[in-house]
Amino acid sequence: MDIQFLHIDSASDLFDRIDALNISAFPEYERMESRKLLEMSSSSSLSLLAIMAGELFVGFTVIFCPSRLCYVFFLAIEPSLRGRSYGSAVLDALRKRYPGKQLVLDIEPLEEQSENYAQRLRRKQFYLRRGFVSSKYLFCYCGLGFEVMYDPVRSFDALEYLSLLKEVKKLVLAYGYEGFNPVLKRIG
């Protein structure tokens, strides 16, 4: 499966597809407006990328890659393509696109009382199968907490990740997302 990434700008005819997928894939309290992501990607180390397999629109990702860490802000695959190895192919393609960089992402933590526990479990199992490891930290902001996972090209460095979060905070606050004050908490 040959995955390509297309940088999205305001002239892209894929923007509407990305926006629709963004709305359907992420709950409102987690989602950033697609137009804001587009603005942010035009002036920073953040990239809004369409994921393609030939002419097929597979999904989108938002990557913030200012240093040795590449933070996967968002990753969404078209619902009709899920469970068909596209997610795995995308992670492999991201590793090739950012050689020598450590991919870091966050997922909803496993909380048995959550309404979507089965979905959370499947998501975590997917990333574990793809070689990601739990950092044993929660990325917390605005009353939400997400388990941080990383690609073990090297050990997880919490201080390096906190430095990345400071850069994310500057970027997010500059685009009007007030109250974003991320902290890192050890799990357990």
Side-chain angles (χ1 to χ4, degrees):
M1 190 176 305
D2 185 32
I3 296 294
Q4 305 92 37
F5 298 101
L6 301 177
H7 188 81
I8 299 301
D9 59 30
S10 58
S12 175
D13 59 349
L14 293 170
F15 179 78
D16 289 340
R17 305 235 4 227
I18 288 171
D19 186 46
L21 181 56
N22 187 26
I23 290 168
S24 69
F26 298 101
E28 187 175 355
Y29 61 87
E30 288 180 24
R31 182 173 60 238
M32 294 180 81
E33 295 173 36
S34 302
R35 285 264 169 231
K36 292 273 188 184
L37 291 171
L38 186 62
E39 289 173 30
M40 292 164 77
S41 73
S42 67
S43 62
S44 69
S45 299
L46 184 132
S47 297
L48 173 59
L49 304 170
I51 303 167
M52 305 294 293
E55 296 296 312
L56 179 66
F57 174 73
V58 173
F60 79 95
T61 189
V62 178
I63 305 282
F64 184 63
C65 204
S67 64
R68 295 184 330 150
L69 295 180
C70 287
Y71 175 55
V72 180
F73 246 101
F74 297 101
L75 173 60
I77 304 297
E78 278 286 333
S80 64
L81 300 176
R82 293 177 191 157
R84 296 175 52 192
S85 299
Y86 284 99
S88 296
V90 167
L91 291 176
D92 290 342
L94 285 172
R95 287 175 172 127
K96 288 177 187 163
R97 183 179 176 94
Y98 300 104
K101 303 237 180 190
Q102 184 173 46
L103 296 177
V104 181
L105 52 85
D106 53 74
I107 61 171
E108 293 173 299
L110 296 181
E111 297 168 340
E112 289 186 19
Q113 71 278 10
S114 62
E115 288 182 19
N116 66 338
Y117 177 77
Q119 180 188 46
R120 292 178 184 206
L121 182 60
R122 283 191 310 274
R123 187 175 295 124
K124 183 167 185 175
Q125 289 172 337
F126 165 76
Y127 286 115
L128 290 171
R129 282 192 312 275
R130 297 304 308 144
F132 280 74
V133 177
S134 174
S135 67
K136 306 293 187 212
Y137 283 94
L138 285 179
F139 164 46
C140 303
Y141 66 95
C142 300
L144 303 171
F146 298 89
E147 182 178 356
V148 178
M149 298 190 75
Y150 67 98
D151 190 4
V153 293
R154 64 179 178 278
S155 298
F156 181 77
D157 183 336
L159 292 177
E160 184 178 23
Y161 184 70
L162 280 170
S163 177
L164 177 126
L165 287 181
K166 286 179 185 174
E167 292 186 54
V168 168
K169 179 180 177 178
K170 284 185 218 169
L171 179 63
V172 168
L173 291 177
Y175 283 88
Y177 289 96
E178 295 181 22
F180 182 77
N181 192 24
V183 294
L184 204 54
K185 293 183 181 177
R186 190 91 168 122
I187 295 174

